[in-house]
Amino acid sequence: RREARRRLVGYVFQRPSDNLISYLSAWEHMNLAAKVRGSDAGEASRLLELLGIKDVAWCRPHQLSGGEQQRLAFAQAVVGAPALVIADEPTAQLDSASSQALLTAVWELAAAGTSFVLSTHDPGVVEAADRTYFLRHGALESETAERGALSVIDGAGRIQLPSTALELFPAGRAIVEVVDGAVTITPP
């Protein structure tokens, strides 16, 4: 299982420094990740250039800005094109140009078959996603896909209303009617 995880799953922690080893340079991080995934130095170099950090390839993490650390962490997670990349707030430390470069890399890799699960508060990332799941208080609130926004109904029949709709129900009660196969929910 460890071997499969190493080759098939890339992960980016929210704090950039948690992804990096203090005594390795950016280039050494990339070479190590490429070796683990059976990739080559050419791909590592291409990713460093794509993400705008090739000029700092021989720097250690403490010599990099937070944004450079974040881009390095992302680059090492995607080198070797793992089947799945999970990234927690991958654009949090980035300016808009760097965020766009990272999203370009995501699209290129997704087109080549890598799946991504990104947790984010960044509207640009949400907009770029094919499918979005919104959480509220740790529970799935809604899903947005090609067909539009969908509210989630759990196994007990509970539905998560969007927070804007909750304002219509200050007492926490609603009238629910089923008429001709349609459900309406209105304030009492």
Side-chain angles (χ1 to χ4, degrees):
R1 284 186 285 177
R2 185 179 305 147
E3 177 76 16
R5 270 194 312 259
R6 188 179 302 141
R7 291 195 184 279
L8 301 175
V9 179
Y11 190 84
V12 182
F13 293 102
Q14 183 174 4
R15 283 188 17 192
S17 60
D18 290 344
N19 297 284
L20 306 173
I21 300 168
S22 64
Y23 56 86
L24 294 180
S25 70
W27 183 248
E28 290 168 328
H29 276 94
M30 291 302 294
N31 274 334
L32 180 61
K35 182 179 178 182
V36 165
R37 291 219 180 87
S39 187
D40 60 38
E43 182 190 6
S45 181
R46 184 187 72 79
L47 282 167
L48 289 174
E49 185 158 351
L50 177 67
L51 293 170
I53 53 174
K54 192 170 186 176
D55 292 344
V56 294
W58 296 107
C59 294
R60 292 200 170 114
H62 73 278
Q63 298 169 309
L64 303 174
S65 70
E68 289 168 336
Q69 289 180 16
Q70 188 71 359
R71 287 178 280 165
L72 173 59
F74 184 81
Q76 71 178 8
V78 301
V79 71
L84 173 65
V85 174
I86 302 167
D88 189 1
E89 299 284 355
T91 60
Q93 301 278 331
L94 305 180
D95 60 31
S96 58
S98 298
S99 290
Q100 190 55 51
L102 187 132
L103 290 176
T104 298
V106 167
W107 277 110
E108 283 183 16
L109 291 162
T114 299
S115 296
F116 287 86
V117 175
L118 308 176
S119 69
T120 189
H121 291 94
D122 183 343
V125 175
V126 172
E127 185 179 308
D130 290 335
R131 182 176 299 252
T132 307
Y133 296 96
F134 294 91
L135 302 177
R136 185 173 66 209
H137 304 296
L140 185 60
E141 176 184 80
S142 64
E143 170 187 351
T144 303
E146 295 169 4
R147 295 179 25 204
L150 303 171
S151 285
V152 176
I153 304 170
D154 70 14
R158 293 176 293 236
I159 188 170
Q160 286 277 349
L161 296 176
S163 55
T164 54
L166 286 177
E167 297 168 4
L168 300 171
F169 305 93
R173 300 290 185 263
I175 298 170
V176 178
E177 295 178 303
V178 179
V179 178
D180 297 327
V183 176
T184 58
I185 303 172
T186 55

